[in-house]
Amino acid sequence: MSSDSPSGEDKLIARFFGPIATDPGALGLSDDAAFIKPPAGCEMVLKTDAIVGGIHFFTEDPAAAVAQKALRVNLSDLAAKGARPLGFLVSLALPKGVDETWLTGFASGLREDAATYKCPLFGGDTVRSPGPIMVSVATFGSVPDGRMVRRSTAKPGDHVFVSGSIGDAVLGLGLRNGASWSLDDKQREHLLSRYLLPRPRNALAQAVLDYASASMDVSDGLAGDLAKLCRVSKVSADIEVARVPLSDAAKVVIAQDAAQLEPALSGGDDYEILCTVPPANVDRFRVAAMAAKTAVTDIGTIAQGEGARFCRADGTTLNFKRASFSHF
């Protein structure tokens, strides 16, 4: 064999990922790097997250869903910053036994979401791993100069909003781990799908950019992530538990097992947007969210002080044993 023959890795990249790298800056994945130029008057927003088999997904999960989850958890962060996706890089660590069928499914899921979210592939890496499958995605997006919406800029008097519904993913994980709540097929499928495939709220990004004072995505649990926002903004938050949006399926679970309220509020993988909105912008934010066909709910207010308080209807405070998911 001649020394200039393509390696097995080169063939793998060309076959499975070359067709996804449609932007000219990707150079057809034929180079060591790629290039991108942000739109005029914009700056780059950068984000990377990894998912690992046995922690973020089950080994039996469809390969297409694994790919889509890896990309979507990153897109969720871009949405919370008010950013428009520009592209992504992906690195794969693959153990022995991962075959062409798995790679075909993975590439198919990645291709579908790259098109859906208008976020093309620019490159990445593939390596052999002795451990579980690991997928690391780095996304980049754009916002107008100086306008990225940060965590650290919430102000007393702001309203606290969340998109979608909270707690579905952690309850879906409970089902995967053998929980035996009494649910109909539709409710069960809803919870399972919310764990398997996040729904990044990129349609809401422009509303966040235009009207929010601070924003982040809910990846490690509403209670813990709100506490992070409050800490860096040097404010407090008062949240009414009864106003936190729950899906019908989550309500059924909590009605059967009240202890599930705490993990619903503190578990990870929601990938909803948590943002603060000044009073003068609340109505416009609601209208923009409606135009984006994304549900948003006002769950409380920002105040002076420290910490995030979750209050029950009787005025007592819900104290969390564990406010958020943590790897360490």
Side-chain angles (χ1 to χ4, degrees):
M1 182 180 291
S2 64
S3 61
D4 62 352
S5 297
S7 69
E9 182 180 3
D10 291 335
K11 292 178 181 178
L12 184 153
I13 291 169
R15 176 178 175 184
F16 294 103
F17 301 108
I20 309 174
T22 56
D23 191 281
L27 301 174
L29 303 188
S30 63
D31 211 312
D32 294 319
F35 66 89
I36 188 169
K37 184 176 181 179
C42 291
E43 55 195 12
M44 301 284 283
V45 178
L46 312 176
K47 174 62 185 179
T48 184
D49 260 326
I51 63 172
V52 180
I55 297 176
H56 301 95
F57 60 91
F58 289 77
T59 56
E60 66 267 25
D61 285 338
V66 173
Q68 291 173 323
K69 185 168 190 175
L71 179 56
R72 291 182 188 193
V73 301
N74 285 274
L75 289 170
S76 178
D77 281 293
L78 292 187
K81 302 298 100 184
R84 179 173 69 86
L86 293 178
F88 71 101
L89 306 172
V90 60
S91 293
L92 275 174
L94 302 173
K96 290 183 178 179
V98 172
D99 58 15
E100 290 189 359
T101 300
W102 192 93
L103 283 167
T104 298
F106 184 91
S108 174
L110 206 60
R111 183 186 302 111
E112 181 180 338
D113 268 13
T116 297
Y117 294 100
K118 297 179 174 61
C119 186
L121 175 66
F122 276 77
D125 192 21
T126 55
V127 297
R128 181 67 74 191
S129 168
I133 295 171
M134 190 275 288
V135 187
S136 179
V137 168
T139 49
F140 28 98
S142 66
V143 294
D145 285 342
R147 290 189 60 196
M148 188 185 84
V149 187
R150 305 182 184 185
R151 294 184 187 181
S152 59
T153 43
K155 302 296 182 185
D158 287 350
H159 292 238
V160 180
F161 278 86
V162 292
S163 65
S165 58
I166 295 297
D168 291 329
V170 73
L171 297 178
L173 177 58
L175 289 174
R176 293 289 297 269
N177 285 328
S180 56
W181 304 306
S182 179
L183 298 165
D184 63 31
D185 290 345
K186 183 177 179 181
Q187 293 163 345
R188 184 179 178 85
E189 178 55 33
H190 173 80
L191 296 180
L192 291 171
S193 67
R194 285 298 303 273
Y195 171 74
L196 181 64
L197 274 180
R199 302 172 185 175
R201 304 302 182 179
N202 295 83
L204 195 61
Q206 188 65 47
V208 170
L209 184 67
D210 290 340
Y211 304 117
S213 56
S215 181
M216 64 184 295
D217 81 330
V218 181
S219 55
D220 294 330
L222 175 62
D225 284 336
L226 179 58
K228 295 173 190 176
L229 186 150
C230 288
R231 184 164 56 251
V232 296
S233 289
K234 299 180 180 178
V235 296
S236 66
D238 293 296
I239 304 301
E240 295 182 36
V241 171
R243 288 163 59 182
V244 174
L246 301 174
S247 68
D248 290 342
K251 289 176 182 176
V252 169
V253 170
I254 293 168
Q256 295 175 36
D257 183 359
Q260 295 306 313
L261 176 62
E262 180 171 333
L265 297 177
S266 61
D269 275 8
D270 285 319
Y271 298 104
E272 298 290 355
I273 290 179
L274 166 66
C275 64
T276 60
V277 179
N281 288 349
V282 165
D283 288 343
R284 285 176 286 186
F285 179 69
R286 290 185 188 276
V287 170
M290 187 177 299
K293 299 180 180 179
T294 305
V296 295
T297 305
D298 185 341
I299 62 172
T301 55
I302 297 296
Q304 294 182 342
E306 297 180 354
R309 295 176 290 273
F310 284 72
C311 299
R312 302 182 182 90
D314 62 6
T316 59
T317 300
L318 182 60
N319 295 312
F320 297 94
K321 296 177 183 176
R322 183 181 181 183
S324 68
F325 174 81
S326 174
H327 288 278
F328 303 101

